[in-house]
Amino acid sequence: MEYFAQQAINAIQLGAIYALIALGYSLVYGVLTMINFAHGDLFMVGAFFCLIIASLFPLPFVVILVLVMLSTGFLGALIERVAYRPLRSAPRVSAIITALGCGLVIENLVSSLSPYAKPMPALFSVTGYNLGGLSISSLQILIIGVSILLMVGLDFFIRRTSFGMAMRAISFDSRTVPLLGIPLNKVISVTFLIGAGLGGAAGMLYGLAYPVIAASMGVLVGWKAFIAAVVGGIGSIRGAVVGGFILGLVEVMTVAVLPSTYRDLIAYSLLLVILIFKPYGLLGKAPNQKV
Amino acid sequence: MNALEVHDLTVSYGDIRAVKGISFTVKQGEIFTLIGANGAGKTSTLRALSGMLKYGGKVVYQGAEIDDIAADKRVGLGLAHVPEGRGIFGNLTVMENLKLGAWLRKDKTGVAEDLERGLTAFPRLRERKDQAAGTLSGGEQQMLAVARALMSRPKTLLLDEPSMGLAPKLVQDIYRVVREINAQGVTIVLVEQNANLALKIAHSAAVLETGSISLTGTGAELLSDPRVQAAYLGA
Ligand SMILES: Nc1ncnc2c1ncn2[C@@H]1O[C@H](COP(=O)(O)OP(=O)(O)OP(=O)(O)O)[C@@H](O)[C@H]1O
Ligand SMILES: [Mg+2]
């Protein structure tokens, strides 16, 4: 029992990171009905931005986090501006190919600058705590805490602010949005900024939790978070969070009871089963019934 | 100064020319209506005026050319458009839809007053203000679309077939509201298939036929014109 409780802590940590990444897919899908296949690579870039900033300046954790989110966020918004916007009225498949292409460019750029995996420096000295037999580290608490704070903040932003309202309006009917005086492109840019910023934060946290980072680290994690977003219901913010945590839980618990080679087999079989019964995902709605 | 001057307006969809060089003038404070059958180009014309579509020709609004001004910026000039099909955000609440209509306004107290006024003018909306707008009936959605457009305090309101799909009683209600808005000094450009109703409240009017204007006159003149009666009023 204690063993499972211990694993649950690991599951929450991993799930929180998946959820942060999944949010980026879902946000962008919400405003553009497009999958940003470069998102996994933005996650990777976030880890590298953290490495660069931390090795240049000895800044506190929070400051580095903000800088990583801003820089990754602006990179995401820049990609939208130069690569996706010109193709907005082009066939869907062109946008998909462009996104995949952007991801490959970023990944190869990073791997040419940093061909080998790099150790991630610890940003503070990690202490372990013992909670009634369960061990949890200050890093784990930080990762889980920061992720949850970001998710709650995002949920508030989307539900309560006028920018959030505009983002939801775009996901319902983007043609009408400019007729209310709302600058469509600006809202889309901000959406990318937020989505990529969360991805960057996830990259940084992931790099701190598994402190060896490489240019290829975004590929598999990116795909997994994408699947989590779809299972939760792509376009749904809460769905992305639910999907991320389910995926983290299933992965960690599978490894807890079975050989680790079964992890992905079990995890993805389960997710496929969920999709068979809930084709729009757990919290997703059929097109144009999004409420 | 006229509210709108439209010079040789053209709208094309690929090879299809939907509006073939029309010109008309809308005077300050009047109700101008553009009537025409299905596919005549009414919606295309309104979309050009609000900047939703690229177009040829020239549009002068309040004395200034606005052709290079994007759709969202035109709202800031006081030109609001209630689109065909209403354009309600069904996933947002009634209140949120109204608030988005005030996007460009900075005067918080003024916005709050206008929200209150809108909800008083449309009691059905007040009853449903926290409900998802997608659950409203067609008539309620039309009311919401008009109320939302008014939140930007427009000087000129473009209305695309506000009577579409509504029961006669509701159509009467909507038209009463349109007249009230106009009485408060808002210029109205009303597009309709329902020529009888539109011409009755219009100060001036034009008939659009497959992308060209075939007749113009006052509302009363067109109402009694035998050609209009034969083609649009079923007389
Ligand atoms: N997006 C589009 N792509 C191609 N053709 C279009 C498009 N929108 C409109 N058209 C064509 O342009 C012409 C004018 O259409 P428009 O919608 O302006 O007419 P309308 O007068 O508003 O008709 P209705 O009374 O049915 O609303 C029609 O022949 C229509 O088929
Ligand atoms: Mg039309």
Side-chain angles (χ1 to χ4, degrees):
Chain A
M1 203 52 235
E2 212 167 79
Y3 174 65
F4 282 103
Q6 188 65 55
Q7 291 304 319
I9 294 176
N10 298 336
I12 292 171
Q13 171 181 294
L14 185 62
I17 292 175
Y18 283 146
L20 277 187
I21 310 170
L23 282 169
Y25 285 107
S26 238
L27 279 171
V28 166
Y29 186 86
V31 295
L32 289 186
T33 35
M34 164 198 167
I35 306 298
N36 180 13
F37 280 114
H39 191 60
D41 296 293
L42 289 167
F43 157 84
M44 174 272 293
V45 167
F48 275 88
F49 279 158
C50 173
L51 173 69
I52 294 168
I53 296 169
S55 41
L56 291 178
F57 315 102
L59 295 166
F61 171 85
V62 179
V63 179
I64 296 183
L65 178 69
V66 170
L67 291 176
V68 166
M69 289 183 72
L70 282 176
S71 50
T72 317
F74 276 109
L75 180 62
L78 181 73
I79 291 174
E80 187 278 325
R81 180 67 192 86
V82 299
Y84 302 164
R85 193 175 300 177
L87 292 174
R88 210 177 281 162
S89 50
R92 273 277 155 270
V93 68
S94 313
I96 294 174
I97 298 301
T98 307
L100 284 168
C102 285
L104 285 171
V105 167
I106 296 172
E107 190 187 330
N108 284 288
L109 191 70
V110 173
S111 76
S112 62
L113 294 171
S114 167
Y116 305 107
K118 288 231 160 53
M120 181 75 123
L123 299 184
F124 51 89
S125 62
V126 178
T127 43
Y129 300 101
N130 200 314
L131 296 176
L134 296 181
S135 68
I136 184 163
S137 73
S138 55
L139 180 63
Q140 282 179 311
I141 295 174
L142 192 72
I143 289 174
I144 294 169
V146 165
S147 307
I148 290 175
L149 220 61
L150 288 174
M151 289 179 223
V152 171
L154 179 72
D155 196 65
F156 177 84
F157 182 80
I158 303 266
R159 276 168 196 278
R160 294 272 173 254
T161 68
S162 33
F163 239 97
M165 272 194 272
M167 285 162 64
R168 284 183 284 138
I170 290 175
S171 81
F172 194 84
D173 174 11
S174 62
R175 277 173 64 89
T176 302
V177 162
L179 295 185
L180 304 185
I182 302 169
L184 183 66
N185 285 329
K186 195 166 137 196
V187 180
I188 289 174
S189 290
V190 171
T191 307
F192 271 83
L193 186 103
I194 295 172
L198 294 173
M204 169 171 168
L205 298 176
Y206 190 88
L208 292 171
Y210 312 95
V212 177
I213 65 174
S216 60
M217 69 186 267
V219 180
L220 193 57
V221 175
W223 277 109
K224 288 181 173 183
F226 168 53
I227 293 168
V230 173
V231 166
I234 189 112
S236 157
I237 297 305
R238 293 183 174 183
V241 172
V242 169
F245 278 110
I246 289 180
L247 183 59
L249 193 71
V250 173
E251 277 196 2
V252 170
M253 289 307 169
T254 309
V255 181
V257 292
L258 292 170
S260 65
T261 42
Y262 285 91
R263 184 188 66 190
D264 290 354
L265 175 68
I266 304 272
Y268 296 105
S269 303
L270 182 82
L271 298 181
L272 288 177
V273 171
I274 292 178
L275 282 182
I276 288 169
F277 288 102
K278 303 276 289 179
Y280 295 104
L282 290 169
L283 300 185
K285 302 248 164 48
N288 264 336
Q289 296 183 15
K290 291 183 249 173
V291 170
Chain B
M1 187 172 48
N2 291 312
L4 269 170
E5 286 163 25
V6 176
H7 302 279
D8 202 21
L9 183 81
T10 57
V11 175
S12 306
Y13 301 97
D15 293 337
I16 304 166
R17 181 148 277 212
V19 179
K20 301 168 180 160
I22 62 172
S23 303
F24 58 90
T25 300
V26 180
K27 291 196 214 63
Q28 207 74 255
E30 74 171 349
I31 299 179
F32 174 90
T33 185
L34 202 56
I35 58 171
N38 281 121
K42 306 182 295 294
T43 295
S44 304
T45 302
L46 280 201
R47 287 185 174 155
L49 295 182
S50 64
M52 276 176 95
L53 287 178
K54 289 214 162 42
Y55 56 86
K58 194 165 79 169
V59 177
V60 178
Y61 170 71
Q62 306 286 1
E65 261 187 60
I66 56 169
D67 304 319
D68 297 330
I69 297 179
D72 57 305
K73 299 285 188 319
R74 293 188 190 192
V75 180
L77 301 176
L79 186 59
H81 179 185
V82 179
E84 186 174 66
R86 301 159 192 140
I88 289 305
F89 303 117
N91 59 337
L92 270 57
T93 66
V94 169
M95 201 64 174
E96 288 173 331
N97 269 277
L98 290 172
K99 283 182 179 163
L100 278 183
W103 178 272
L104 290 170
R105 290 176 57 184
K106 300 280 173 277
D107 56 322
K108 280 215 170 104
T109 47
V111 170
E113 279 167 30
D114 285 3
L115 267 174
E116 192 49 39
R117 190 173 313 153
L119 293 175
T120 307
F122 303 103
R124 308 277 288 189
L125 297 184
R126 188 190 295 279
E127 286 164 33
R128 291 162 176 71
K129 70 183 165 57
D130 298 317
Q131 207 168 304
T135 63
L136 297 183
S137 74
E140 290 160 356
Q141 290 196 10
Q142 189 64 60
M143 299 287 179
L144 177 57
V146 172
R148 185 179 66 181
L150 291 176
M151 288 304 295
S152 68
R153 288 213 175 152
K155 298 204 251 316
T156 298
L157 190 58
L158 310 174
L159 291 172
D160 197 339
E161 296 206 45
S163 71
M164 186 165 49
L166 301 188
K169 165 78 178 68
L170 280 176
V171 173
Q172 296 294 334
D173 286 351
I174 287 278
Y175 269 73
R176 184 174 41 75
V177 168
V178 171
R179 280 169 122 148
E180 283 168 14
I181 295 166
N182 176 247
Q184 286 159 22
V186 178
T187 307
I188 307 269
V189 178
L190 173 66
V191 148
E192 268 293 359
Q193 277 191 53
N194 192 333
N196 190 22
L197 267 174
L199 291 175
K200 274 185 185 147
I201 68 163
H203 301 105
S204 57
V207 177
L208 196 57
E209 257 173 58
T210 56
S212 306
I213 288 182
S214 59
L215 276 173
T216 54
T218 65
E221 277 166 10
L222 291 197
L223 206 51
S224 57
D225 189 298
R227 287 163 294 181
V228 174
Q229 290 189 334
Y232 300 101
L233 303 175

